Amino acid sequence: MGEGRGGPFVRPYRARDREAVYDVCVRTADAGGDARGIYRDPDLMGDLFAGPYVWLAPHLAFVLDDGGRAVGYAIGTADTAAFAEAFRRRWLPRVAGRYPRARQPVTPDERMTELLYTPERMVLPELADHPAHLHIDILPAYQRAGHGRALMRTLLDALRREGAERVHLGMLTVNTGARRFYDRLGFHELAVPDPGPLTYLGRATEAGSA
């Protein structure tokens, strides 16, 4: 990880990267495709899947930098249970006023907002042996060039330094391109009853195929 001269490079997240990270998040949130226009509030995806990580665990956030702008990121937590608790106690009060909770979620916005209000959904007993979890997203123009592997390797190293020996992630099952990427990096499927639209994958954080 360093400020190389030959193109995009991986570096630690900085507070000024927030807008670009949110942009990457929404532009990859529709099973890897662009979710802009699906949700009324363009920040909803970022406030759900990116903001809490860079706010609560910025030392475990890394970006792919191209010309000073983040065009991809890898973010995570070493302890999912502790993260869910901090999400409710510290993150949710920051954004709840922007997203009223529906009694019966129906619309795409309401269903995603319900996820915002239920961070405990991240804590599943079947994943207890993989206490860390992560998210990684890269703009399409920067995919299939080795940048995802570099981001993943950097985050896995950081998680291991935090004491997390294994990590998991949840991905939309329909995103077959993402599944091929994770398979190449040594992730394997984790059995979770009734996972809904998600597939859960896990691996060790130690150096290997990543």
Side-chain angles (χ1 to χ4, degrees), residues 103-149:
R103 291 186 177 181
Q104 294 183 326
V106 175
T107 69
D109 291 80
E110 291 170 346
R111 289 194 292 267
M112 285 298 172
T113 296
E114 186 63 17
L115 296 182
L116 188 72
Y117 280 90
T118 54
E120 294 79 13
R121 67 189 157 74
M122 294 183 278
V123 184
L124 299 174
E126 296 82 8
L127 304 176
D129 288 340
H130 294 73
H133 78 262
L134 64 82
H135 295 278
I136 180 170
D137 290 298
I138 305 171
L139 292 179
Y142 296 87
Q143 296 175 10
R144 301 178 183 87
H147 302 310
R149 185 179 295 272

Side-chain angles (χ1 to χ4, degrees), residues 7 27 54 102 119 129 148 151 181 183 191 203 208 210:
R27 289 169 64 185
V54 300
D129 288 340
L151 277 167
F181 168 72
D183 286 346
R203 61 154 288 166

Side-chain angles (χ1 to χ4, degrees), residues 45-88:
M45 292 294 94
D47 281 339
L48 182 56
F49 295 117
Y53 296 87
V54 300
W55 173 258
L56 296 170
H59 63 296
L60 294 174
F62 302 92
V63 302
L64 180 66
D65 182 308
D66 187 19
R69 181 172 179 83
V71 295
Y73 60 80
I75 53 181
T77 176
D79 185 332
T80 297
F83 180 81
E85 191 277 332
F87 188 114
R88 176 167 295 284

